Amino acid sequence: MPGDGIGPEIMATALQALDALGVDHTTEEHLFGGAAIDAYGAALTEETTEACRRADAVLLAAVGGPRWDTTDPDAPRPEQGLLGLRKALGLFANLRPVRPLPALYDASPLRRERIEGTDLLVVRELTGGIYFGEKTRTATDASDLCHYTVAEVRRIARVAFEAARTRSNRVASVDKANVMETSRQWRQVVHEVHAEEFTDVQLEDILVDNAAMQLVSRPADFDVIVTENLFGDILSDEAAMLTGSIGMLPSASLGGAGGPGSPGLFEPVHGSAPDIAATGAANPLAMLLSTALMLHHGLGLQAQAAALESAVDRALDAGLRTRDLGGTATTNEATRAVLDHL
Ligand code: NAD
Ligand code: IPM
Ligand code: MN
């Protein structure tokens, strides 16, 4: 699903990479987000949801843009499509790996010695919290309800602990337990899951405001960061700058509760970047790295996933820099540079 803004530009890159990898596959393309609002009056149609359910994996670029921005609570929004699809497919676990490449240490606004050695994974809860609680709006009031069940916290905690076991065995659980009841429940449940099954994993609690600060002051000390939906959204954009640009950060959304063989959704962390759409300035690497996550988690094609990731690494080592990374390469030039290394 190419979506809106720079979405179609970077999706074209991803499809070229799949072809170049020789992955035997069939692709179906569907309008999504603003493009679907224009065509069908809704960001996500029942037909598109069904097509996603039938697929082995869903690859998404980005949705949204000023054309559909509105403060009218009753008007359709592109982002509703994204939230609706995550919910429909049961994608409660959003994995956002942050692995700054040495070649890009100097492309980050942070000093190299802060970033060196950073390799962290944000595990963001994706189908609960304030994103999905009841919303109200009157002429004088508005409210968003933040709600979590114990079961929702348990399952995301397990994903984080399991992930830590395949990495450096450390989990930082981020909450706002000094203020929010949902966070106090979160903290208690995370510790229960830890005590029951994961005492071999190191667990620390960090309040979210402190975590936001620690992410830029000592990022290399983090391994797995597990947190609720809204905190994970904000902290992952912040963490993106450790890699030099939001245009570098991929994500995988997994869950499998959307039915048997339920597919994962793979998309960059960034949005549709309407400010640079149709200028050739879009960095396609987050999209390519999301495609690699799809090959790995979604299709079980480990060798092809590794080949694509390493082609991205080597293109950057060889000097590839799009504008967001301080260079001049266009989307097409970046695509060519990676394909040349594939
Ligand atoms: P954004 O991530 O689209 O852009 C933020 C800034 O980063 C912009 O200056 C943009 O030019 C730059 N940027 C983002 N991706 C880039 C890339 N690949 N290459 C180079 N530069 C890049 O965030 P925003 O401007 O706050 O949101 C724009 C729209 O995207 C909104 O409608 C928002 O709701 C939507 N959005 C969608 C998704 C998604 O589809 N998953 C994610 C985030 C935001
Ligand atoms: C993201 C995006 C989405 C989110 C928006 C577009 C709904 O910011 O994937 O990080 O907040 O989850
Ligand atoms: Mn976001």
Side-chain angles (χ1 to χ4, degrees):
M1 300 198 286
D4 310 314
I6 62 168
E9 302 164 38
I10 59 175
M11 181 60 83
T13 300
L15 296 179
Q16 283 181 59
L18 286 177
D19 285 340
L21 277 164
V23 176
D24 183 16
H25 68 291
T26 314
T27 308
E28 262 182 46
E29 193 169 303
H30 293 273
L31 296 178
F32 190 55
I37 291 176
D38 289 349
Y40 317 123
L44 173 64
T45 64
E46 192 46 44
E47 199 194 0
T48 300
T49 307
E50 278 312 312
C52 290
R53 286 208 175 97
R54 283 195 305 271
D56 294 310
V58 181
L59 190 59
L60 170 77
V63 299
R67 183 174 153 72
W68 306 280
D69 272 342
T70 167
T71 51
D72 174 357
D74 299 319
R77 289 195 61 99
E79 294 82 359
Q80 287 166 342
L82 189 55
L83 301 182
L85 186 63
R86 289 170 177 171
K87 195 76 169 177
L89 298 179
L91 303 170
F92 68 89
N94 183 220
L95 311 182
R96 298 184 158 185
V98 182
R99 185 178 54 99
L101 295 174
L104 291 182
Y105 281 168
D106 294 318
S108 170
L110 287 164
R111 284 203 306 275
R112 158 188 286 269
E113 58 268 28
R114 298 270 167 188
I115 308 166
E116 267 167 353
T118 299
D119 179 356
L120 63 88
L121 175 69
V122 178
V123 176
R124 171 188 175 194
E125 200 292 326
L126 201 61
T127 52
I130 202 163
Y131 275 66
F132 292 92
E134 190 199 353
K135 297 180 187 306
T136 68
R137 173 96 169 262
T138 69
T140 53
D141 295 81
S143 71
D144 296 274
L145 180 70
C146 184
H147 174 266
Y148 267 110
T149 66
V150 166
E152 285 173 324
V153 181
R154 287 187 76 84
R155 65 183 183 179
I156 194 70
R158 299 191 86 255
V159 169
F161 288 126
E162 299 278 8
R165 277 183 176 157
T166 70
R167 301 171 44 95
S168 299
N169 226 27
R170 286 179 289 121
V171 169
S173 173
V174 173
D175 62 37
K176 188 74 184 173
N178 52 349
V179 175
M180 290 165 63
E181 206 52 50
T182 42
S183 278
R184 285 189 277 272
Q185 172 184 266
W186 176 281
R187 192 175 281 210
Q188 184 181 327
V189 172
V190 168
H191 279 268
E192 281 167 12
V193 173
H194 179 252
E196 284 163 20
E197 290 180 65
F198 298 98
T199 47
D200 56 306
V201 180
Q202 230 183 79
L203 170 64
E204 67 168 331
D205 303 300
I206 310 186
L207 296 172
V208 63
D209 45 353
N210 184 22
M213 185 274 283
Q214 305 283 350
L215 252 181
V216 290
S217 66
R218 51 168 195 103
D221 291 348
F222 287 103
D223 180 23
V224 173
I225 294 176
V226 64
T227 191
E228 61 127 276
N229 205 342
L230 182 62
F231 297 162
D233 177 46
I234 298 167
L235 292 180
S236 55
D237 267 41
E238 186 193 7
M241 288 318 292
L242 300 165
T243 69
S245 168
I246 184 87
M248 293 300 301
L249 220 63
S251 88
S253 303
L254 309 171
S262 186
L265 171 70
F266 304 88
E267 54 170 327
V269 168
H270 65 71
S272 59
D275 52 333
I276 57 162
T279 67
N283 179 348
L285 299 184
M287 186 76 220
L288 284 175
L289 294 171
S290 302
T291 307
L293 290 179
M294 176 183 79
L295 292 165
H296 177 83
H297 292 282
L299 302 174
L301 299 172
Q302 317 308 346
Q304 288 87 338
L308 184 50
E309 278 179 5
S310 116
V312 169
D313 288 6
R314 279 177 294 127
L316 290 165
D317 277 341
L320 166 64
R321 299 286 183 279
T322 42
R323 261 180 251 171
D324 53 314
L325 294 170
T328 57
T330 63
T331 310
N332 286 339
E333 287 162 357
T335 303
R336 179 50 43 209
V338 175
L339 293 187
D340 282 348
H341 283 93
L342 207 55

